[in-house]
Amino acid sequence: AAMMLMSSSSFVFVVVVACAAAAVVCVSDVNACCRHCGDASKACGDACISLKNTCHTPPGCACNGTTTTASPSSDPDYDHQTEAYKVQHKPLELNGAKLTIAPFFSPDHSIDTLLDFINGAQSSLYIGIASISSWSGCTSTSRGCVGCKVTTMSGEKFPVFQALLNAVHRGVSIQILTNDFNDKTCEGDVSLLDFLVLNGIKIGYFTTVTFDHCKFLMRDKKTACISSVNWTRNSIMNNREAGAVIDGEDSAAVIDFLTKVYEGDWKQSYPHKVTQTYSKEDMDIITNTTTRNYTVPNTPNRPYISPKPTPIQTNGSFTLWTSPDYSYQTLQKQLDAVKKSFLLYIYQVTDPRLCEWIVNAHKSGIHVGILVSKYIYGEDDERIAAQCYQNMTDAGIVVRTAWHFSMFMYNHQKFWIVDGKNVTFSTGNFSPSDFPGVADGVYPPYGDDGWFKTNRDFTVSSDNADVVSVFNKVFVEDTNNSTIWH
């Protein structure tokens, strides 16, 4: 009973009709589009073509409309893409490769895994992360700027910050690729990123596509860490997150793939610049190379605590791919092969194509298990996800929300298990920005025809039974402590 991914047109039509009937402004259909076509073009399948041309492609996820109805009214402040991006990184597919995969989960073992990874670096660290948040309040924008006094920043409570300084001081070359939120350093203060740069850590701002959404580290060009863990206290100490450390005898192909993506993005980045000047006394504090101590706080109690990460030797099928490059097509190929069961534990489902596939899979007799976060950050995403979950519920799927202890905790993991034999984990959600997959593979910058929000992400898939078992245990135990979506 293999399932084909269907066009999103029927899902979008339902949403549009419902909005029109209620006589309210609805953005669900707009956000569902994978590409917005301006006045000089028209939708054709998943792409935009000239008004002069004839479309010979069935309806897809591209949308017609002017910039006021089909596109955001302004460019996101973190978007610094200036050139069209053409997909170039084909998925890495390995069979029989001898790899070691060590799954880990927040809040149980993210902080120790990250610290062990950084502390083990001998020569280099490549890091790709959406942002870095201070645990001492130094990235707060409440004053219209960021930063803290030098002594406060030097004593930053985020253990990873101190571990990075220890690493660079022992001679490790460190590059951090992140997003530029246009934060300015407050007069007389030093920001977290300023402090790192002044110690010799290179920080580049991402410009390849709209947003760097990956959570990625590579150590000594031998070992990789890919997960859903953001560098915030909440993500590390409260949220449910998922990922793995990957290395092994045949990891060279994995590292080569990740290096090409990362170094390509790094070449298009621009450097963080320190805008304040500091006295000799302040610089002595900032650049002090004495080994820095840090305190690792205890993780909160929860109904199920995942085991300490254990390296698992694998030699089966392994796939690694990046978004937006062939991301939707690769996911589609995987979903087309589902025969018996599909278990999804994810932060949110806001892609109508994937929502429709799940509904159709259930109707075809495939066992579907859905576990999602009770809380979603952002009203638009929350509304679109709710529409999807309602569609699933109406079709007879039991959608469950994972256990939570406060409204500030998110179940932010992204993994799915196919037929009990394959597990896939990702830095991206089931959202159009994370798995876009436009037909022509071109992602223009904001202001150009056909723009839409697009993320850089990584996704990993393995058929090793022991790896699958670890993820499945988390799914089962968290399901046992979940509640039915309203």
Side-chain angles (χ1 to χ4, degrees), residues 5 32 34 46 61 213 321-332 334-335 344 346 348 350-351 353-354 414 416 424-438 443 452-460:
L5 284 168
C34 68
D46 295 342
C61 61
H213 192 245
W321 70 95
T322 186
S323 297
D325 305 53
Y326 309 100
S327 56
Y328 188 75
Q329 295 90 330
T330 306
L331 177 60
Q332 179 180 18
Q334 183 185 63
L335 297 182
L344 176 66
I346 201 161
Q348 65 182 28
T350 55
D351 191 320
R353 300 167 298 176
L354 297 173
K414 308 109 173 30
W416 50 98
T424 302
F425 59 93
S426 182
T427 67
N429 298 294
F430 271 21
S431 301
S433 57
D434 296 319
F435 292 96
V438 296
Y443 297 87
F452 67 98
K453 186 177 182 296
T454 306
N455 293 343
R456 170 69 80 199
D457 279 295
F458 288 115
T459 304
V460 177

Side-chain angles (χ1 to χ4, degrees), residues 141-178:
T141 58
S142 60
R143 294 179 293 163
C145 52
V146 298
C148 284
K149 299 305 179 185
V150 168
T151 52
T152 302
M153 193 71 257
S154 181
E156 167 63 43
K157 296 178 181 178
F158 184 21
V160 167
F161 173 84
Q162 304 294 356
L164 289 172
L165 291 172
N166 286 338
V168 74
H169 291 160
R170 66 174 181 268
V172 177
S173 172
I174 303 177
Q175 294 180 199
I176 301 176
L177 188 62
T178 188

Side-chain angles (χ1 to χ4, degrees), residues 102 124 280 372:
S124 65
K280 181 183 182 303
V372 295

